[in-house]
């Protein structure tokens, strides 16, 4: 499974890019707002830091304006993926962009039918929002499983990008449910490696090794 980072903070992206685990970046208008940065500038800066896919979201709601915005975004750098809402206008824009070879990420997906439409429109990624479904007592992981089944049955190439990840369990559960990618906030990425038994076991090994008086180097 690929790991994307869900942030518009360049410092976080640099840190995780250096770890070697990062396969891409997703941003959205709320993350741009939190960064306090100009969107076009920050997307260009992110694309200079990392050459993997970087999702940048259109702001318009109508197809003609979305398309114009998409052209501006895709010209920022070759690794920009145009993020579009999963609406009829977004899907029309997706089909148009797919026809001219521009990669897309269909966002705010909450149903298998929306995912089916995105695949038919030639989307590169579909982003089911797990955490926001869990927030209202729906099962985000079931949605990923349903989309996986549909995409596998019909051999759609669209990649399932598990979004709105709120917990470490969301990451492993999304992998088990068949997601191709998880986009993860830095706070959750940082927690993935931790296990108290690893820390406890390592402490014992360090102490026992010291007491042997040996060295390797
Ligand atoms: C994904 O592309 C979105 O940017 C993101 O995962 C939304 O997460 P949230 O529901 O925590 O805002």
């Amino acid at each position: 499974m690929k790991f994307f980072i869900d942030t518009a903070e360049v410092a976080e992206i640099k840190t995780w890019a250096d770890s070697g685990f990062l396969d891409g970046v997703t941003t959205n208008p709320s993350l741009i707002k939190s960064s306090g940065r100009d969107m076009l500038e920050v997307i260009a800066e992110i694309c200079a830091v990392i050459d993997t896919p970087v999702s940048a979201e259109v702001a318009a709601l109508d197809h003609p304006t979305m398309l114009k915005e998409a052209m501006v975004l895709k010209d920022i750098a070759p690794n920009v993926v145009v993020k579009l809402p999963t609406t009829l206008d977004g899907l029309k824009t997706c089909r148009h962009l797919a026809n001219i070879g521009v990669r897309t990420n269909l966002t705010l997906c909450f149903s298998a039918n929306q995912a089916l439409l995105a695949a038919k429109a030639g989307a590169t990624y579909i982003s089911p929002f797990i955490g926001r479904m869990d927030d209202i007592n729906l099962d985000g992981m079931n949605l990923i499983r349903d989309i996986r089944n549909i995409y596998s049955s019909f051999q759609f190439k669209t990649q399932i990008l598990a979004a709105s990840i709120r917990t470490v369990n969301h990451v492993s559960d999304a992998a088990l449910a068949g997601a191709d990618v998880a986009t993860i906030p830095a706070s959750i990425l940082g927690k993935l490696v931790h296990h108290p038994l690893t820390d406890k076991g390592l402490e014992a090994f360090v102490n026992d090794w010291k007491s042997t008086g040996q060295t390797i180097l």
Side-chain angles (χ1 to χ4, degrees):
M1 183 163 76
K2 290 176 197 152
F3 279 6
F4 288 3
I5 190 167
D6 199 27
T7 185
E9 300 295 336
V10 179
E12 286 180 346
I13 294 165
K14 278 186 182 153
T15 302
W16 283 99
D18 287 348
S19 77
F21 283 113
L22 215 56
D23 303 300
V25 177
T26 51
T27 64
N28 65 37
S30 304
L31 293 171
I32 295 290
K33 182 184 172 191
S34 311
S35 76
R37 299 280 312 273
D38 173 86
M39 183 198 179
L40 301 184
E41 269 178 32
V42 81
I43 296 293
E45 203 174 317
I46 294 169
C47 291
V49 168
I50 191 161
D51 61 5
T52 50
V54 174
S55 288
E57 188 160 342
V58 297
L61 299 180
D62 66 286
H63 165 63
T65 319
M66 272 185 202
L67 197 51
K68 283 185 199 151
E69 291 180 349
M71 293 305 168
V72 172
L73 297 176
K74 68 114 176 136
D75 281 344
I76 295 175
N79 52 324
V80 166
V81 173
V82 176
K83 203 170 180 191
L84 302 159
T86 312
T87 58
L88 200 51
D89 286 75
L91 290 162
K92 273 170 77 176
T93 309
C94 174
R95 169 43 62 206
H96 190 102
L97 294 173
N99 288 346
I100 59 168
V102 176
R103 290 180 295 173
T104 53
N105 175 358
L106 273 284
T107 190
L108 291 167
C109 169
F110 295 95
S111 79
N113 279 330
Q114 288 179 315
L116 184 52
L117 288 165
K120 286 174 70 63
T124 313
Y125 302 99
I126 182 70
S127 290
F129 273 42
I130 306 310
R132 293 192 195 189
M133 292 188 73
D134 288 0
D135 287 346
I136 56 163
N137 280 331
L138 295 174
D139 190 336
M141 290 307 154
N142 264 347
L143 175 59
I144 291 192
R145 272 185 284 276
D146 287 349
I147 300 172
R148 175 79 284 147
N149 283 336
I150 292 169
Y151 282 8
S152 297
S153 298
F154 293 95
Q155 294 170 342
F156 285 124
K157 297 277 179 280
T158 301
Q159 295 180 53
I160 303 169
L161 196 169
S164 189
I165 296 277
R166 305 269 172 80
T167 67
V168 287
N169 285 348
H170 275 163
V171 178
S172 47
D173 288 347
L176 287 166
D180 301 287
V181 188
T183 189
I184 310 168
S187 56
I188 303 292
L189 273 171
K191 288 180 187 162
L192 289 178
V193 73
H194 292 303
H195 199 290
L197 292 180
T198 304
D199 298 340
K200 194 177 166 200
L202 193 57
E203 192 184 351
F205 287 160
V206 166
N207 290 336
D208 289 344
W209 178 249
K210 267 189 201 149
S211 69
T212 70
Q214 299 178 45
T215 58
I216 295 174
L217 298 176

